[in-house]
Amino acid sequence: MAVTIEDLYRSYGVLADAKDNLSQHKDAYQVILDGVKGGPKEKRLAAQFIPKFFSSFPELADSAINAQLDLCEDEDVSIRRQAIKELPRFATGENILRVADILTQLLQTDDTAEFNQVTGSLIAIFKIDAKGTLGGLFSQILQGEDIVRERAIKFLSSKLKTLPEEVMTKEMEDYVFAETKKVLEDVTGEEFVLLMRVVSGLRVLQTVNGRQQLVELVVEQAFLEQALNPTDPDTVDRLLQCTRQALPLFSKNVHSTRFVTYFCEHVLPNLSSLTSPVAELDIQLEVLKLLAEMSPFCGDMDKLEPNLNMLFTKLLEFMPLPPEEVGNGENSASEEPKLQFSYVECLLFGFHQLGKKLPDFLLEKVDAERLKDFKIRLQYFARGLQVYIRQLRVALQGKSGDALKTDENKIKVVALKITNNINVLIKDLFHNPPSFKSTVSLSWKPIQRSEAHPCVLAALSGPKRPSADEIGSGGSTNKQVSPQPRRDARQIYNPPSGKFSATIGNFTYEQRGGFRGGRGRGFGGRGNRSRGRIY
């Protein structure tokens, strides 16, 4: 006969009154367990009563947990939520791992309220036994269904950092790092990013040695010992993701040498043939930005001269020669070369950074004819640059606050940062001997006011405008700028409209949806691991 509401309340009363003699009333507790076979009301009561007396009947522990699990899978979502809410009360002794495993599997629910209840219960058992909870989570990450694995990794990525130090002790963080390394042996691109977020947030890895360990972890995933296949979007995607994860870890003590070397030896020679993993991504500019950001942290390089020469060669490709003049001194009717400011900023910055390590490169390692060609290109680029700076400066004159926040003016401000950066670096290279002392902040990174050129600060703060001479030389004068650039300057170079894209100052590429196809160890397509309920 089915258990009724009255049976449940009667059995509850017996157990509540028994006090120290609870174990003698096993039959009463069995009635409560049988309540899971009743109707909705009986199930809701059973969901509350079963955990309340669970610890008093160890011989019925398996039956009790299984009964509660039946309620966690009930068709009625309100019953499921009630049962899940009570699950932490079963997390005692040897049961903690099992409860954690169960809750991790329950993360696959698509009901928002139920999902929130599962995450709340997981956090609750973290505070009871962190290692047991982590054991359940990592067990499912390594062996569970794909949807469970995905949700478990996201849970760790978002919730682990919120736990207090008394829960996430050094021992626990070491355990997380060790288990994460196991998971990284077979991950998708998205999983790799999330797991790096997990380990990067561990306090135990915030030391120089810890960051170096993280870099080593990324190096293993990046396959830097293999040649690059530039036409394979998965290979390119892997390199982008790994480099992006390594970037925040680099410092004067944690070097980017292996990544910079790989970019110089394998990426730059194949720059034009790189296949983008995302249709709208300018892959060439993306990798050049990454190289520029890494270059300040490059340590001693075994093949510095050939790598610097590769940077130099690429820089020449993006710095055009001036158009040929016809007999009367006017430029020929051929189309003006396009000045690709964003690419040149990255390459010039990288060359400037590595050039510090071999300051005589241009004088002693480059032949005279090639050096002359380089200086002609530099001069032409610099003259066109001055025209563009003046036009941008005039366009931004008097604008501040909200006026600078429009999409059009944001682009112009970033364009001004780019052109100013190039201007500063070109001046260094025109010194005799070339100098590598100036510092600039890359245009897509937050501007450092101590490093900013006056024309950039002027655009951001709106002081009175400088003259064209001030822009070119950094000097000071009260002379007003003409709204139109000089006629001779326009003949040298007429900057095309819309040269800078709306995303020019942003560096927001994120891996989208993992990598295509199986690739063995690392960023592969993981097989379907669905095995049904494995409680």
Side-chain angles (χ1 to χ4, degrees), residues 174-185:
D174 287 339
Y175 179 75
V176 169
F177 189 46
E179 292 299 304
T180 299
K181 286 195 284 187
K182 295 178 186 177
V183 180
L184 285 171
E185 293 177 4

Side-chain angles (χ1 to χ4, degrees), residues 40-84:
K41 293 181 180 179
E42 288 79 12
K43 290 177 179 178
R44 289 192 186 93
L45 279 179
Q48 299 173 58
F49 293 171
I50 291 172
K52 185 173 180 64
F53 302 106
F54 169 74
S55 60
S56 299
F57 299 96
E59 68 277 18
L60 292 176
D62 282 344
S63 298
I65 293 175
N66 286 330
Q68 195 77 5
L69 293 183
D70 287 339
L71 297 176
C72 289
E73 293 184 329
D74 196 82
E75 293 180 356
D76 188 329
V77 67
S78 64
I79 293 174
R80 295 202 303 269
R81 290 205 299 265
Q82 180 65 47
I84 292 166

Side-chain angles (χ1 to χ4, degrees), residues 463-476:
K464 61 183 180 181
R465 56 186 163 186
S467 69
D469 292 335
E470 177 185 350
I471 295 172
S473 65
S476 178

Side-chain angles (χ1 to χ4, degrees), residues 434-481:
S435 169
F436 298 93
K437 294 181 180 179
S438 295
T439 59
V440 298
S441 177
L442 290 164
S443 60
W444 60 91
K445 297 178 71 67
I447 190 167
Q448 302 297 318
R449 299 187 73 87
S450 61
E451 298 177 0
H453 191 276
C455 68
V456 177
L457 290 179
L460 298 177
S461 57
K464 61 183 180 181
R465 56 186 163 186
S467 69
D469 292 335
E470 177 185 350
I471 295 172
S473 65
S476 178
T477 177
N478 291 326
K479 184 178 178 181
Q480 295 293 307
V481 176

